[in-house]
Amino acid sequence: MINLELIRTDPDAVKRAAHAKRVDIDIDHLVELDREVRRSTEQLDTLRHGLKQASKQVGAGGEGRQVAKELGDRVRAAEQANRELRARFDALLARVPNILAPEVPEGDDDRDNLEVRTWSTPRTFDFPVRDHLELMLGLGMVNLDGPRKFAGGRSYALTGPGALLELAVLRYALDTVVGRGFTPVIPPVIVREQALFGTGFFPGSREETYQLPADDLYLVGTSEVGLVAMHSDSILAEEQLPLRYAGWSTCFRREAGAAGRDSRGLYRVHQFTKVEQVVICHADPAVSEREHYGLLDNSETILQGLGLPYRVALACSGETGLGQYRKHEVETWMPGRDSYSETHSCSTLLDFQARRSRIRYRAGARNEFAFTLNNTAVASPRILVAIVENYQNADGSVTVPEVLRPYLNGLEVITR
């Protein structure tokens, strides 16, 4: 949710952002609804004041009972009309996209993203390249058939060295960001609807979200939801900022409509584990920008430590989500796909989430909405795809990246 004053004073800027993000929304209608809500509220306040005055006269023994009754009926009707008008306005306002950073290129999809840099050169193999699924099945790192009997498509079980490798890479990522001042958190993964609305996932991503209808609860697709929601309806002390969190959680996504090569193996699954970085900071664009590139550097440091070639791209407008002001995507080289593929997404949201979640901080004599940011530290099993494919050997074994060996009791090579 963006600042309503921006919509009132510069609707054209909001229209440009909506057009650039390919969001179909009628801003002129929203502006008119805003006027109607304000007129309706003024009329309601006038009626309430009249009812209050009439009620005083009745209480004092006056003869205004009929007037008070009629005014009461009018107030109730006006309240109902005002509620309905506000509901229409709020529903439309919730779909208004955030503005974009000036440097964001306009485009439709990831083909229009702007490459910023690459790191390292993809390995050249002198033997036929296996993909991660062939490697992991051959090494007893994953079981697909068993889980899919009782849990359905895209289910899997990491087994033996696969399970240990996931724990190792997650702990390595967590240790890296904690070493840079982030507080580790294991937040709830079952949340109320308001947490998903507050972080901007609702109403737009309902089809991607698993619901627990008996309890009116939902499973999160990222620990970002819980980390931000922890501070909803709060006023923070200014000296608390910035808050920097590293959230470890299981995540769930329906992946509705995803198909093709992404559905093979472990690249795109319904359940995964992630270490997510979240920052809540001062409402200062310069501070927010500095935090953004700090989050990005953390992820690049993790990938460099793993020795995985990657590239960083500035997402174009069509790839920048509803609440995002700026987004960089980090894509890691995956030999089995013969391409760079997304493993990290670094986002600045300004006060979009804070307004929806009502997260403020004391700034002198007034309260300000905070700014929020997030970025993946590492997500598994997708990162395992990159590791096993880049570190595969001709005999089907996989060399363990050096930084992970201390987490695996010194194991250097995964063999059958």
Side-chain angles (χ1 to χ4, degrees):
M1 178 176 306
I2 68 173
N3 191 338
L4 185 53
E5 282 304 310
L6 177 61
I7 300 173
R8 291 170 176 169
T9 59
D10 194 358
D12 288 340
V14 183
K15 290 178 186 178
R16 288 193 296 272
H19 173 76
K21 290 189 176 186
R22 309 321 190 228
V23 176
D24 184 15
I25 186 168
D26 190 340
I27 299 300
D28 289 331
H29 180 52
L30 179 69
V31 171
E32 180 55 36
L33 275 177
D34 178 44
R35 293 194 188 102
E36 290 182 29
V37 168
R38 284 186 283 173
R39 282 196 296 266
S40 171
T41 302
E42 289 173 2
Q43 292 167 1
L44 179 56
D45 288 344
T46 300
L47 286 170
R48 284 172 171 165
H49 178 72
L51 176 59
K52 183 177 180 180
Q53 296 303 113
S55 298
K56 285 181 180 178
Q57 291 183 7
V58 171
E63 298 180 357
R65 292 184 183 277
Q66 185 60 33
V67 174
K69 181 180 181 305
E70 291 174 359
L71 278 172
D73 291 341
R74 291 176 63 187
V75 166
R76 284 187 288 275
E79 286 174 339
Q80 179 62 28
N82 186 264
R83 280 193 297 269
E84 292 174 357
L85 195 57
R86 282 185 178 277
R88 289 166 52 201
F89 174 74
D90 290 342
L92 190 56
L93 181 62
R95 295 177 44 232
V96 176
N98 204 351
I99 58 174
L100 287 163
E103 69 269 23
V104 174
E106 184 156 349
D108 293 320
D109 53 39
D110 57 6
R111 292 171 295 185
D112 298 316
N113 291 351
L114 178 65
E115 184 176 290
V116 175
R117 59 181 167 273
T118 61
W119 184 85
S120 191
T121 302
R123 174 184 172 189
T124 299
F125 295 88
D126 57 4
F127 56 85
V129 173
R130 299 175 173 89
D131 74 1
H132 71 282
L133 191 56
E134 183 180 355
L135 289 161
M136 294 180 75
L137 287 171
L139 294 170
M141 299 176 71
V142 67
N143 183 325
L144 299 182
D145 292 340
R148 290 179 180 179
K149 290 177 184 176
F150 65 86
R154 303 203 193 200
S155 299
Y156 65 97
L158 294 176
T159 55
L164 294 175
L165 186 64
E166 176 177 89
L167 292 172
V169 72
L170 290 167
R171 186 57 193 269
Y172 164 66
L174 184 67
D175 287 352
T176 300
V177 295
V178 168
R180 293 185 168 198
F182 284 65
T183 301
V185 182
I186 302 178
V189 298
I190 303 174
V191 301
R192 297 191 181 108
E193 182 171 355
Q194 175 55 37
L196 288 157
F197 176 82
T199 45
F201 291 95
F202 280 5
S205 297
R206 282 184 178 273
E207 67 173 13
E208 286 297 317
T209 307
Y210 284 104
Q211 184 176 7
L212 306 174
D215 300 298
D216 197 21
L217 295 170
Y218 300 84
L219 297 175
V220 302
T222 169
S223 61
E224 170 195 343
V225 176
L227 296 174
V228 172
M230 282 197 305
H231 296 288
S232 61
D233 296 303
S234 296
I235 300 177
L236 303 168
E238 187 170 12
E239 55 268 22
Q240 289 180 262
L241 302 180
L243 294 169
R244 299 188 180 101
Y245 293 127
W248 178 312
S249 74
T250 304
C251 306
F252 306 88
R253 293 182 188 172
R254 293 186 60 240
E255 300 291 0
R261 69 172 183 170
D262 283 0
S263 62
R264 172 176 166 78
L266 303 181
Y267 182 80
R268 192 179 296 279
V269 291
H270 296 306
Q271 176 182 323
F272 54 99
T273 306
K274 184 164 63 156
V275 176
E276 180 77 1
Q277 307 171 79
V278 165
V279 173
I280 301 174
C281 68
H282 292 82
D284 182 331
V287 171
S288 180
E289 183 173 7
R290 185 168 64 246
E291 294 290 340
H292 180 98
Y293 287 104
L295 291 174
L296 191 58
D297 182 67
N298 290 347
S299 296
E300 291 189 64
T301 297
I302 290 166
L303 289 175
Q304 290 173 18
L306 291 168
L308 297 174
Y310 66 86
R311 71 178 178 189
V312 178
L314 178 62
C316 72
S317 59
E319 281 286 293
T320 306
L322 188 77
Q324 294 165 340
Y325 173 74
R326 175 193 298 112
K327 180 171 75 169
H328 283 87
E329 294 182 350
V330 181
E331 301 171 338
T332 304
W333 180 255
M334 298 183 184
R337 297 165 64 88
D338 193 30
S339 68
Y340 291 98
S341 298
E342 183 185 342
T343 52
H344 300 72
S345 179
C346 184
S347 304
T348 293
L349 296 105
L350 302 183
D351 60 0
F352 185 86
Q353 291 180 328
R355 286 182 178 275
R356 294 167 79 108
S357 300
R358 300 176 296 277
I359 303 171
R360 294 172 291 169
Y361 68 95
R362 298 184 188 89
R366 66 182 189 278
N367 296 325
E368 295 275 4
F369 286 104
F371 282 6
T372 64
L373 308 93
N374 63 76
N375 187 19
T376 318
V378 78
S380 181
R382 187 171 293 190
I383 195 66
L384 302 186
V385 174
I387 291 172
V388 299
E389 289 183 357
N390 279 283
Y391 280 92
Q392 64 180 291
N393 302 309
D395 62 358
S397 64
V398 170
T399 300
V400 176
E402 287 190 22
V403 293
L404 300 184
R405 293 175 189 175
Y407 300 95
L408 293 166
N409 295 320
L411 181 67
E412 295 183 4
V413 180
I414 299 172
T415 60
R416 185 64 175 177

